[in-house]
Amino acid sequence: MTKKTGGRGGLPDAARDPDAFEEFYRRHVDAVTRFVARRVDDPHTAADLTAEVFLAVIHSAHTYRPGRGSETAWLYGVARNVVSGERRRAAREAELTGRVAGRRLLEPDDIARLEDKLDAESPGRRALAALARLPEGERAVLELVVVDQLSVSEAAKALGIRQVTARVRLHRARKALRGAAAPDRGAPAPPDVPATAPARATTTTSQPSHGAPRLTHSRGEA
């Protein structure tokens, strides 16, 4: 995982400098889009939430502390908050019929690209669905470690909890999933939960991912 703690394009600069924000956006937009696509199944919602995550970055960049973890772990914490906020909003408005009114329209090519991402992340959504019966704290740790492939330490930082607490919750979640699967041998197996996050290849994107909204940060915004 890339850890950028200084120099132009880091989080402190992204909140102040439009060019640094653009570099930060290009570096992380694909990972954020995939994070969101594992949690929603509508391309418009995926595009909107991805944009909201980066807008939230502008306002909360000052809370990032390089010594406490990578940019990605911090960014996943921001993204979790944005997605959770959307779920609460959707629950409140579930009975309304005019939710699409005023929604920014996407080009057909953008919709097709986002639908491809949504299809690619469908296994992740199924894994998350299998975790739905766990307590929120245990489920949050398991999501970040198994689905988003953070280490236990990074998951703890993203959630703002101690590493030992994250390990205890992960252990409880693994035990609960295995216990739930044991009575029914014909049921689909729960998601494989490693003791530590698997190694991941990290790539740094130099161009924005197709299908994700392109943001610009006007000079003077903070």
Side-chain angles (χ1 to χ4, degrees):
M1 176 178 296
T2 301
K3 182 175 181 179
K4 188 177 183 70
T5 58
R8 183 172 173 177
L11 266 167
D13 293 324
R16 301 186 299 266
D17 180 357
D19 293 331
F21 178 80
E22 179 72 12
E23 181 180 340
F24 179 86
Y25 177 81
R26 288 172 182 269
R27 189 163 65 249
H28 292 293
V29 63
D30 189 61
V32 171
T33 302
R34 288 186 282 109
F35 181 97
V36 171
R38 287 191 285 271
R39 289 160 172 82
V40 303
D41 57 7
D42 173 69
H44 291 280
T45 302
D48 290 345
L49 292 181
T50 299
E52 287 181 25
V53 169
F54 284 97
L55 291 176
V57 165
I58 296 174
H59 298 292
S60 57
H62 66 281
T63 67
Y64 173 64
R65 298 293 181 269
R68 298 180 59 185
S70 67
E71 285 182 352
T72 303
W74 180 88
L75 193 55
Y76 278 6
V78 174
R80 272 187 57 84
N81 290 336
V82 170
V83 173
S84 295
E86 166 61 17
R87 286 173 174 167
R88 291 191 295 270
R89 184 194 70 80
R92 290 193 300 266
E93 299 182 2
E95 297 181 0
L96 298 180
T97 59
R99 287 185 59 196
V100 296
R103 175 173 286 186
R104 180 177 62 84
L105 297 179
L106 297 174
E107 295 294 331
D109 287 348
D110 291 334
I111 293 176
R113 293 181 184 116
L114 281 170
E115 285 176 338
D116 287 342
K117 285 185 179 293
L118 292 169
D119 289 342
E121 297 300 337
S122 61
R125 290 197 301 276
R126 289 195 295 271
L128 290 174
L131 310 181
R133 295 180 182 178
L134 292 174
E136 170 60 26
E138 296 173 11
R139 183 173 68 249
V141 174
L142 200 63
E143 284 183 11
L144 291 174
V145 171
V146 176
V147 181
D148 299 308
Q149 298 187 0
L150 294 185
S151 68
V152 175
S153 176
E154 289 171 329
K157 292 180 177 68
L159 296 170
I161 60 178
R162 294 183 303 164
Q163 184 172 337
V164 66
T165 303
R167 290 191 180 280
V168 169
R169 292 180 181 179
L170 181 61
H171 173 75
R172 289 175 178 170
R174 294 173 63 202
K175 184 176 180 180
L177 285 177
R178 289 170 179 168
D184 185 0
R185 296 184 180 275
D192 186 24
V193 185
T196 58
R200 310 187 303 285
T202 301
T203 56
T204 302
T205 56
S206 60
Q207 296 296 330
S209 174
H210 291 301
R214 180 183 179 85
L215 299 182
T216 57
H217 178 186
S218 301
R219 295 184 183 275
E221 287 188 359

